[in-house]
Amino acid sequence: CLITLIPIIWRVAATLKTPDEMFAPEYPLFSPHPTAQNYVDLFAKVPFVRYFVNSVFITCSTVRVQLFF
């Protein structure tokens, strides 16, 4: 079951890399200098919270409709 976690670990590790490290010819799994700047940019430049709230609303609405109809 560890093999099912590899894509998740890979994506999380990729979010902690700089863009230069992401597109480098050699692609180590873990960055030697992890950074959270990608997350800072996500919340500063993109209305991520709004997108998340919209997704939760749509999901809850769909579940309600499926349960009652």
Side-chain angles (χ1 to χ4, degrees):
C1 291
L2 180 63
I3 199 159
T4 60
L5 294 177
I6 291 173
I8 297 169
I9 293 169
W10 186 359
R11 285 292 93 204
V12 170
T15 64
L16 299 174
K17 294 180 181 183
T18 64
D20 292 337
E21 291 173 332
M22 280 293 298
F23 298 108
E26 65 282 343
Y27 189 83
L29 181 59
F30 296 105
S31 172
H33 308 289
T35 179
Q37 187 61 41
N38 292 329
Y39 291 106
V40 172
D41 291 343
L42 173 68
F43 289 104
K45 296 179 181 176
V46 177
F48 178 77
V49 175
R50 178 70 178 168
Y51 295 160
F52 182 75
V53 170
N54 287 346
S55 296
V56 169
F57 174 77
I58 295 296
T59 302
C60 291
S61 299
T62 303
V63 169
R64 274 192 209 142
V65 168
Q66 292 297 320
L67 285 174
F68 294 116
F69 294 106

